[in-house]
């Protein structure tokens, strides 16, 4: 199907094992942005987004289908990604979803997010992470050497040491939310 949004035209197609691709094209060529299957964003076109990723908003809908999760390793190794904004409606971030996105410094996570998988932000440059109050599971963060502060808007995990935080990282918990 084809639809126009602003100055860009989007169309969708399918690929074996990856689900539907959400594509955008200009005057000369086609560029795949997101792939999704059963409500899970399963991948991105690193050649297109990596050129000028900068700030990327993970969509709440791909090909008319509600997106509910970012799959494991969906954005892995995407160079040039400096900031990611996760749309409302995404309930899970899979294992290693943003792993090795070495330029990634900021992630805006929505209320409604329930889980953050192991190593979701491993080997990134994130400096501060705000965990929405709706998150009930946070996996190991892994190697996030620039992380200086983690803010839990809800109750923190009972065993914060399991998060594998770097030395000097402060954990902030609102009053009456834990500890």
């Amino acid at each position: 199907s084809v639809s126009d949004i602003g100055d860009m035209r989007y169309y969708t197609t399918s690929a074996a094992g990856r689900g539907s691709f959400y594509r955008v094209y200009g005057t000369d060529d086609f560029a795949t942005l997101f792939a999704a299957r059963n409500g899970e964003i399963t991948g991105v076109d690193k050649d297109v987004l990596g050129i000028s990723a900068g700030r990327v908003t993970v969509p709440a809908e791909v090909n008319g289908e509600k997106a509910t999760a970012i799959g494991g390793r969906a954005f892995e190794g995407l160079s040039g990604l400096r900031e990611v904004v996760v749309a409302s409606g995404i309930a899970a971030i899979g294992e290693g979803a943003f792993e090795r996105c070495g330029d990634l410094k900021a992630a805006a996570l929505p209320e409604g997010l329930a889980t953050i998988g192991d190593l979701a932000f491993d080997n990134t440059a994130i400096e501060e992470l705000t965990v929405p109050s709706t998150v009930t599971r946070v996996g190991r963060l892994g190697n996030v050497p620039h992380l200086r502060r983690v803010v839990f808007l809800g109750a923190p995990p009972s065993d914060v040491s399991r998060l594998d935080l770097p030395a000097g990282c402060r954990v902030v918990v609102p009053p009456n939310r834990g500890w």
Side-chain angles (χ1 to χ4, degrees), residues 86-90 109-114 130-135 153-154:
V86 178
S88 183
I90 301 291
L109 307 178
E111 283 294 323
L113 183 68
T130 299
V131 180
S133 64
T134 52
V135 171
L153 298 179

Side-chain angles (χ1 to χ4, degrees), residues 42-72:
T42 57
V44 296
D45 187 320
K46 293 173 178 72
D47 292 332
V48 174
L49 284 177
I51 293 168
S52 61
R55 180 177 194 244
V56 170
T57 298
V58 177
E61 184 178 297
V62 176
N63 189 25
E65 181 181 356
K66 183 178 177 182
T68 58
I70 299 170

Side-chain angles (χ1 to χ4, degrees), residues 129 131 138-145 147-152 157 159-172 179:
L129 186 64
V131 180
V138 180
R140 286 183 310 110
L141 294 179
N143 182 27
V144 191
L147 188 64
R148 296 293 169 249
R149 190 167 117 138
V150 177
V151 178
F152 287 94
D159 184 5
V160 173
S161 66
R162 191 180 105 53
L163 297 179
D164 206 12
L165 299 173
C169 181
R170 291 184 42 216
V171 175
V172 178
W179 299 334

